[in-house]
PDB file of all heavy atoms in Angstrom:
ATOM      1  N   LEU A  49      97.935  53.035  18.952  1.00 83.00           N
ATOM      2  CA  LEU A  49      99.328  52.558  18.728  1.00 83.00           C
ATOM      3  C   LEU A  49     100.058  52.311  20.087  1.00 83.00           C
ATOM      4  O   LEU A  49     100.967  51.513  20.161  1.00 83.00           O
ATOM      5  CB  LEU A  49     100.098  53.556  17.912  1.00 83.00           C
ATOM      6  CG  LEU A  49      99.731  53.637  16.448  1.00 83.00           C
ATOM      7  CD1 LEU A  49     100.465  54.796  15.779  1.00 83.00           C
ATOM      8  CD2 LEU A  49     100.018  52.329  15.737  1.00 83.00           C
ATOM      9  N   GLU A  50      99.640  53.074  21.120  1.00 86.00           N
ATOM     10  CA  GLU A  50     100.285  52.960  22.406  1.00 86.00           C
ATOM     11  C   GLU A  50      99.762  51.844  23.261  1.00 86.00           C
ATOM     12  O   GLU A  50     100.325  51.567  24.345  1.00 86.00           O
ATOM     13  CB  GLU A  50     100.136  54.298  23.207  1.00 86.00           C
ATOM     14  CG  GLU A  50     100.954  55.436  22.572  1.00 86.00           C
ATOM     15  CD  GLU A  50     100.626  56.765  23.148  1.00 86.00           C
ATOM     16  OE1 GLU A  50      99.774  56.799  24.096  1.00 86.00           O
ATOM     17  OE2 GLU A  50     101.114  57.810  22.681  1.00 86.00           O
ATOM     18  N   LEU A  51      98.759  51.126  22.787  1.00 87.00           N
ATOM     19  CA  LEU A  51      98.236  49.976  23.528  1.00 87.00           C
ATOM     20  C   LEU A  51      99.277  48.874  23.608  1.00 87.00           C
ATOM     21  O   LEU A  51     100.099  48.717  22.681  1.00 87.00           O
ATOM     22  CB  LEU A  51      96.975  49.446  22.844  1.00 87.00           C
ATOM     23  CG  LEU A  51      95.721  50.296  22.897  1.00 87.00           C
ATOM     24  CD1 LEU A  51      94.609  49.710  22.063  1.00 87.00           C
ATOM     25  CD2 LEU A  51      95.268  50.522  24.313  1.00 87.00           C
ATOM     26  N   GLU A  52      99.225  48.107  24.646  1.00 85.00           N
ATOM     27  CA  GLU A  52     100.135  46.956  24.771  1.00 85.00           C
ATOM     28  C   GLU A  52      99.956  46.014  23.632  1.00 85.00           C
ATOM     29  O   GLU A  52     100.940  45.424  23.103  1.00 85.00           O
ATOM     30  CB  GLU A  52      99.881  46.246  26.127  1.00 85.00           C
ATOM     31  CG  GLU A  52     100.853  45.128  26.380  1.00 85.00           C
ATOM     32  CD  GLU A  52     100.679  44.527  27.774  1.00 85.00           C
ATOM     33  OE1 GLU A  52     100.096  45.185  28.664  1.00 85.00           O
ATOM     34  OE2 GLU A  52     101.157  43.395  27.964  1.00 85.00           O
ATOM     35  N   GLU A  53      98.711  45.837  23.172  1.00 86.00           N
ATOM     36  CA  GLU A  53      98.414  45.008  21.966  1.00 86.00           C
ATOM     37  C   GLU A  53      97.603  45.870  21.024  1.00 86.00           C
ATOM     38  O   GLU A  53      96.356  45.842  21.066  1.00 86.00           O
ATOM     39  CB  GLU A  53      97.680  43.750  22.337  1.00 86.00           C
ATOM     40  CG  GLU A  53      98.438  42.778  23.236  1.00 86.00           C
ATOM     41  CD  GLU A  53      97.686  41.490  23.480  1.00 86.00           C
ATOM     42  OE1 GLU A  53      96.676  41.247  22.734  1.00 86.00           O
ATOM     43  OE2 GLU A  53      98.043  40.759  24.358  1.00 86.00           O
ATOM     44  N   PRO A  54      98.246  46.649  20.160  1.00 88.00           N
ATOM     45  CA  PRO A  54      97.500  47.488  19.201  1.00 88.00           C
ATOM     46  C   PRO A  54      96.647  46.639  18.282  1.00 88.00           C
ATOM     47  O   PRO A  54      96.990  45.471  18.053  1.00 88.00           O
ATOM     48  CB  PRO A  54      98.633  48.198  18.436  1.00 88.00           C
ATOM     49  CG  PRO A  54      99.844  48.078  19.308  1.00 88.00           C
ATOM     50  CD  PRO A  54      99.713  46.822  20.049  1.00 88.00           C
ATOM     51  N   PRO A  55      95.544  47.179  17.831  1.00 87.00           N
ATOM     52  CA  PRO A  55      94.653  46.400  16.922  1.00 87.00           C
ATOM     53  C   PRO A  55      95.404  46.018  15.626  1.00 87.00           C
ATOM     54  O   PRO A  55      96.180  46.860  15.120  1.00 87.00           O
ATOM     55  CB  PRO A  55      93.510  47.375  16.636  1.00 87.00           C
ATOM     56  CG  PRO A  55      94.011  48.726  16.957  1.00 87.00           C
ATOM     57  CD  PRO A  55      94.997  48.548  18.048  1.00 87.00           C
ATOM     58  N   ASN A  56      95.154  44.814  15.136  1.00 87.00           N
ATOM     59  CA  ASN A  56      95.778  44.425  13.875  1.00 87.00           C
ATOM     60  C   ASN A  56      95.054  45.181  12.734  1.00 87.00           C
ATOM     61  O   ASN A  56      94.138  45.929  12.953  1.00 87.00           O
ATOM     62  CB  ASN A  56      95.696  42.930  13.677  1.00 87.00           C
ATOM     63  CG  ASN A  56      94.256  42.374  13.693  1.00 87.00           C
ATOM     64  OD1 ASN A  56      93.290  43.087  13.406  1.00 87.00           O
ATOM     65  ND2 ASN A  56      94.103  41.127  14.065  1.00 87.00           N
ATOM     66  N   ASP A  57      95.537  44.955  11.509  1.00 84.00           N
ATOM     67  CA  ASP A  57      95.004  45.732  10.387  1.00 84.00           C
ATOM     68  C   ASP A  57      93.516  45.508  10.185  1.00 84.00           C
ATOM     69  O   ASP A  57      92.755  46.448   9.967  1.00 84.00           O
ATOM     70  CB  ASP A  57      95.698  45.306   9.080  1.00 84.00           C
ATOM     71  CG  ASP A  57      97.155  45.764   9.052  1.00 84.00           C
ATOM     72  OD1 ASP A  57      97.476  46.635   9.888  1.00 84.00           O
ATOM     73  OD2 ASP A  57      97.916  45.307   8.173  1.00 84.00           O
ATOM     74  N   GLU A  58      93.073  44.286  10.367  1.00 88.00           N
ATOM     75  CA  GLU A  58      91.603  43.990  10.220  1.00 88.00           C
ATOM     76  C   GLU A  58      90.802  44.704  11.284  1.00 88.00           C
ATOM     77  O   GLU A  58      89.747  45.278  10.994  1.00 88.00           O
ATOM     78  CB  GLU A  58      91.406  42.481  10.311  1.00 88.00           C
ATOM     79  CG  GLU A  58      89.946  42.055  10.151  1.00 88.00           C
ATOM     80  CD  GLU A  58      89.755  40.530  10.222  1.00 88.00           C
ATOM     81  OE1 GLU A  58      90.765  39.778  10.240  1.00 88.00           O
ATOM     82  OE2 GLU A  58      88.559  40.135  10.245  1.00 88.00           O
ATOM     83  N   ARG A  59      91.276  44.686  12.527  1.00 86.00           N
ATOM     84  CA  ARG A  59      90.594  45.321  13.630  1.00 86.00           C
ATOM     85  C   ARG A  59      90.588  46.868  13.441  1.00 86.00           C
ATOM     86  O   ARG A  59      89.595  47.523  13.677  1.00 86.00           O
ATOM     87  CB  ARG A  59      91.276  44.991  14.953  1.00 86.00           C
ATOM     88  CG  ARG A  59      90.471  45.277  16.180  1.00 86.00           C
ATOM     89  CD  ARG A  59      89.253  44.374  16.251  1.00 86.00           C
ATOM     90  NE  ARG A  59      88.572  44.453  17.521  1.00 86.00           N
ATOM     91  CZ  ARG A  59      87.365  44.034  17.756  1.00 86.00           C
ATOM     92  NH1 ARG A  59      86.631  43.538  16.725  1.00 86.00           N
ATOM     93  NH2 ARG A  59      86.817  44.148  18.916  1.00 86.00           N
ATOM     94  N   TYR A  60      91.691  47.360  13.003  1.00 86.00           N
ATOM     95  CA  TYR A  60      91.796  48.812  12.723  1.00 86.00           C
ATOM     96  C   TYR A  60      90.817  49.262  11.662  1.00 86.00           C
ATOM     97  O   TYR A  60      90.164  50.282  11.774  1.00 86.00           O
ATOM     98  CB  TYR A  60      93.234  49.198  12.329  1.00 86.00           C
ATOM     99  CG  TYR A  60      93.431  50.685  12.134  1.00 86.00           C
ATOM    100  CD1 TYR A  60      93.569  51.527  13.224  1.00 86.00           C
ATOM    101  CD2 TYR A  60      93.446  51.257  10.846  1.00 86.00           C
ATOM    102  CE1 TYR A  60      93.733  52.907  13.069  1.00 86.00           C
ATOM    103  CE2 TYR A  60      93.575  52.602  10.660  1.00 86.00           C
ATOM    104  CZ  TYR A  60      93.758  53.387  11.778  1.00 86.00           C
ATOM    105  OH  TYR A  60      93.904  54.789  11.587  1.00 86.00           O
ATOM    106  N   GLU A  61      90.718  48.449  10.603  1.00 86.00           N
ATOM    107  CA  GLU A  61      89.775  48.781   9.522  1.00 86.00           C
ATOM    108  C   GLU A  61      88.339  48.735  10.021  1.00 86.00           C
ATOM    109  O   GLU A  61      87.505  49.499   9.625  1.00 86.00           O
ATOM    110  CB  GLU A  61      89.939  47.845   8.364  1.00 86.00           C
ATOM    111  CG  GLU A  61      91.201  48.079   7.563  1.00 86.00           C
ATOM    112  CD  GLU A  61      91.270  49.498   6.977  1.00 86.00           C
ATOM    113  OE1 GLU A  61      90.216  49.968   6.498  1.00 86.00           O
ATOM    114  OE2 GLU A  61      92.312  50.102   7.096  1.00 86.00           O
ATOM    115  N   ARG A  62      88.084  47.786  10.956  1.00 86.00           N
ATOM    116  CA  ARG A  62      86.759  47.686  11.573  1.00 86.00           C
ATOM    117  C   ARG A  62      86.443  48.971  12.360  1.00 86.00           C
ATOM    118  O   ARG A  62      85.348  49.504  12.264  1.00 86.00           O
ATOM    119  CB  ARG A  62      86.669  46.470  12.485  1.00 86.00           C
ATOM    120  CG  ARG A  62      85.501  46.368  13.426  1.00 86.00           C
ATOM    121  CD  ARG A  62      84.215  46.113  12.706  1.00 86.00           C
ATOM    122  NE  ARG A  62      83.143  45.875  13.634  1.00 86.00           N
ATOM    123  CZ  ARG A  62      81.853  46.063  13.376  1.00 86.00           C
ATOM    124  NH1 ARG A  62      81.476  46.466  12.190  1.00 86.00           N
ATOM    125  NH2 ARG A  62      80.943  45.782  14.263  1.00 86.00           N
ATOM    126  N   ILE A  63      87.410  49.428  13.104  1.00 87.00           N
ATOM    127  CA  ILE A  63      87.223  50.681  13.899  1.00 87.00           C
ATOM    128  C   ILE A  63      86.946  51.843  12.946  1.00 87.00           C
ATOM    129  O   ILE A  63      85.992  52.607  13.142  1.00 87.00           O
ATOM    130  CB  ILE A  63      88.481  50.967  14.742  1.00 87.00           C
ATOM    131  CG1 ILE A  63      88.589  49.889  15.847  1.00 87.00           C
ATOM    132  CG2 ILE A  63      88.408  52.361  15.313  1.00 87.00           C
ATOM    133  CD1 ILE A  63      89.961  49.902  16.555  1.00 87.00           C
ATOM    134  N   GLN A  64      87.770  51.969  11.884  1.00 86.00           N
ATOM    135  CA  GLN A  64      87.575  53.064  10.986  1.00 86.00           C
ATOM    136  C   GLN A  64      86.233  53.007  10.256  1.00 86.00           C
ATOM    137  O   GLN A  64      85.598  54.048  10.001  1.00 86.00           O
ATOM    138  CB  GLN A  64      88.698  53.099   9.948  1.00 86.00           C
ATOM    139  CG  GLN A  64      90.079  53.344  10.566  1.00 86.00           C
ATOM    140  CD  GLN A  64      90.102  54.629  11.390  1.00 86.00           C
ATOM    141  OE1 GLN A  64      89.683  55.691  10.929  1.00 86.00           O
ATOM    142  NE2 GLN A  64      90.655  54.522  12.604  1.00 86.00           N
TER     143      GLN A  64
END
Side-chain angles (χ1 to χ4, degrees):
L49 289 173
E50 290 169 4
L51 291 174
E52 185 174 339
E53 294 185 16
N56 59 27
D57 290 347
E58 181 179 351
R59 195 67 169 163
Y60 182 78
E61 288 302 317
R62 167 69 172 157
I63 293 168
Q64 296 306 312

